[in-house]
Amino acid sequence: MYIPSKPCKYGIKIIMVCDSSSKYMLDASPYLGKSTKTNGLPLATYFVQELTKSVHGSNRNITMDNWFTSVSLADCLLKDPYKLTIIGTLRKNKTEIPKEMLDITDRYPNTSMFCHDQMKTMVSYMPKRKKIVLLLSTLHEGVEISSIGKPAIIMNYNETKGGVDTFDQMCSNMNSGRKTRRWPMVIFYDMINIACINSYIIYCSNLVKLNKKPLSRYQYMIELSRCLAETWLKERLNIKTLRSNIRQDINDILNISVENETTEYQNKKRKICFYCPSNKRRMTTTYCNQCKEAICGEHRGNNICIACSRV
């Protein structure tokens, strides 16, 4: 997609649902445009119903922007099996909005106008002259104004609207991705970022309950990557033909101190392996540090002279 108002103007748009307090990502789906199979539903309604499946029937509130919010969606989510309330901004071109809510004549800044219809409440708030903000809520019923003159609907919306934006910011701050032109790899890198953030949120929550101090997110991601690669690194150490410099790097990563390491002399003099049968005449330039004898790859494992260690 191309969105000129974004810092990264070109990219793959992913619509997601995040918890407003912990920023935990509940569900996500890539935006496919007209190719999305919505079964006759409007695109915004389809995404809301699909991405909130994990919280259907929980009486939770969904905060959304004006691309998703509509009166028909609000009525739908109040029924079974959804049982969800919404708070969201409204676009001014919606046909359900009364003309009085859009009229700016004879109105002063910091004034509000409310409209009620069964379980739905609509507010028209004027923060400054000639500007109106419209919000729809099925969570609020009465006319509540805060001490600073703003409706309670707007205050609640401002408190809960930043879940997805904060999660996206966390992905961009510490990104495991690499520059590539292959879009499947872009999705894969994004899945890794999402998994790292979600696991870190669970990790912090568990340690806080135990009154322990969690690692920083940077340290946690380094430790997580090391733990995920540790099993494969240990398997590679069992490869007898592994290059010595790679083997040494793996030992450094795993903090394995290796004694009796084999090494190659500077003159690289080829010699018959001391432990192989003479009729095989296996030539090698590698020698054991302990017994100082030439040793081929068959008798060498993890940079240790296997034959020598048996003596």
Side-chain angles (χ1 to χ4, degrees):
M1 288 192 65
Y2 173 70
I3 304 177
S5 60
K6 297 289 184 179
C8 298
K9 295 177 173 46
Y10 292 93
I12 299 174
K13 183 178 180 179
I14 297 179
I15 299 174
M16 60 179 61
V17 178
C18 297
D19 183 69
S20 61
S21 57
S22 65
K23 314 308 183 232
Y24 184 88
M25 199 277 289
L26 300 175
D27 203 349
S29 176
Y31 177 76
L32 305 179
K34 294 181 179 179
S35 60
T36 305
K37 297 180 181 179
T38 63
N39 297 324
L41 294 173
L43 200 57
T45 302
Y46 168 78
F47 277 116
V48 174
Q49 292 180 358
E50 287 294 317
L51 298 182
T52 58
K53 280 184 176 180
S54 58
V55 294
H56 284 176
S58 61
N59 294 319
R60 284 182 168 87
N61 180 74
I62 310 297
T63 302
M64 57 190 72
D65 62 12
N66 56 21
W67 190 76
F68 299 95
T69 310
S70 65
V71 176
S72 59
L73 176 61
D75 290 329
C76 180
L77 294 182
L78 287 173
K79 303 175 183 178
D80 288 329
Y82 307 105
K83 293 293 184 179
L84 299 172
T85 60
I86 70 166
I87 300 177
T89 53
L90 269 175
R91 293 183 177 178
K92 298 177 182 178
N93 59 355
K94 299 292 184 181
T95 57
E96 299 88 352
I97 301 175
K99 296 181 180 179
E100 292 80 5
M101 305 289 284
L102 300 174
D103 190 9
I104 60 174
T105 58
D106 299 331
R107 289 189 61 178
Y108 298 95
N110 296 325
T111 58
S112 303
M113 185 180 297
F114 291 86
C115 178
H116 302 276
D117 181 16
Q118 297 179 354
M119 296 290 294
K120 300 182 292 294
T121 301
M122 186 184 300
V123 60
S124 172
Y125 176 68
M126 178 176 282
K128 57 184 180 180
R129 289 188 177 275
K130 297 183 179 181
K131 182 178 181 180
I132 287 178
V133 179
L134 295 172
L135 283 94
L136 178 66
S137 172
T138 55
L139 178 65
H140 302 79
E141 296 180 359
V143 179
E144 300 180 19
I145 303 295
S146 64
S147 58
I148 60 175
K150 287 186 178 181
I153 298 176
I154 293 181
M155 299 295 292
N156 199 339
Y157 174 80
N158 292 335
E159 292 172 358
T160 59
K161 69 176 181 178
V164 176
D165 292 337
T166 304
F167 190 92
D168 187 47
Q169 185 181 23
M170 293 172 69
C171 286
S172 60
N173 287 343
M174 295 184 187
N175 195 335
S176 62
R178 298 293 182 268
K179 188 175 181 180
T180 178
R181 292 184 178 181
R182 295 184 294 167
W183 69 265
M185 292 301 300
V186 175
I187 295 293
F188 176 72
Y189 290 141
D190 199 52
M191 291 170 62
I192 294 178
N193 292 331
I194 292 172
C196 287
I197 296 175
N198 277 359
S199 62
Y200 181 68
I201 293 172
I202 297 175
Y203 161 78
C204 290
S205 177
N206 292 337
L207 285 190
V208 168
K209 291 178 181 178
L210 299 175
N211 295 325
K212 295 182 180 180
K213 183 179 180 181
L215 297 173
S216 66
R217 185 166 157 237
Y218 176 74
Q219 294 173 337
Y220 173 81
M221 290 182 67
I222 293 178
E223 185 65 20
L224 177 63
S225 62
R226 190 192 67 81
C227 292
L228 291 174
E230 184 174 356
T231 303
W232 170 240
L233 292 176
K234 290 180 179 179
E235 289 183 5
R236 293 194 70 188
L237 284 177
N238 296 327
I239 302 175
K240 295 182 179 180
T241 57
L242 188 66
R243 290 171 51 184
S244 59
N245 60 333
I246 298 178
R247 190 181 299 275
Q248 183 61 42
D249 292 340
I250 294 176
N251 289 330
D252 293 340
I253 294 173
L254 298 178
N255 294 325
I256 298 176
S257 59
V258 181
E259 298 179 356
N260 305 331
E261 291 184 356
T262 56
T263 183
E264 295 182 6
Y265 289 101
Q266 296 296 327
N267 56 14
K268 294 186 182 250
K269 183 178 179 180
R270 297 179 74 246
K271 196 173 180 180
I272 298 175
C273 177
F274 181 79
Y275 297 99
C276 286
S278 58
N279 59 349
K280 291 186 177 181
R281 294 189 60 85
R282 287 180 174 167
M283 307 295 291
T284 181
T285 58
T286 306
Y287 297 81
C288 176
N289 275 341
Q290 185 174 352
C291 61
K292 307 300 181 183
E293 299 291 348
I295 178 139
C296 68
E298 183 178 347
H299 295 89
R300 185 174 71 248
N302 294 345
N303 271 353
I304 300 176
C305 178
I306 299 177
C308 179
S309 63
R310 293 174 181 172
V311 178

